[in-house]
Amino acid sequence: MIALNATFLVAPGYEEQAIEILLMHVEQAKKEPGVLVTHVYRSRTEPRRFFIYHELNSQATFAQHSATLHYGKHILTSLYGMLEPESLLMDTYDLLTPTASNDLEQAPAEESMH
């Protein structure tokens, strides 16, 4: 599993348009196979700052996600024109800790208390 995040500032006056684009993007991403989690956040202290978070099951899923029509149209074209380019921070991460489902499989069975 990999995680992808991006933080950025939109130019003043574009906050509401950015929200529409980001919410549309998240709804489309949720439908993609291999996209496990997808969220978008807005900063409480800086209303022009946004944070996108995705969990994907593989690098191949990330490549497929990046190649979708909605990603190209909404994120690369529309949203990119609204953001302050120097503010964009984007990275992918590899999972180091076990997932909850792995924890459950490895947890010892509890003894019943009768």
Side-chain angles (χ1 to χ4, degrees), residues 68-90:
T68 62
L69 180 61
H70 71 89
Y71 183 84
K73 179 181 177 186
H74 297 127
I75 301 301
L76 295 179
T77 303
S78 299
L79 185 64
Y80 193 76
M82 296 176 196
L83 45 104
E84 296 181 3
E86 67 280 356
S87 72
L88 179 61
L89 297 173
M90 202 167 148

Side-chain angles (χ1 to χ4, degrees), residues 29 44 86 96 101:
R44 289 181 173 185
E86 67 280 356
L96 299 179
S101 61

Side-chain angles (χ1 to χ4, degrees), residues 28-66:
Q28 291 298 316
K30 286 179 181 179
K31 298 174 187 175
E32 296 174 34
V35 175
L36 307 173
V37 174
T38 183
H39 296 290
V40 64
Y41 300 86
R42 185 180 191 182
S43 171
R44 289 181 173 185
T45 58
E46 174 55 74
R48 295 187 307 120
R49 181 172 304 283
F50 293 88
F51 172 73
I52 299 172
Y53 178 78
H54 295 301
E55 286 182 13
L56 309 154
N57 67 0
S58 68
Q59 185 65 36
T61 298
F62 174 61
Q64 289 171 345
H65 171 71
S66 300

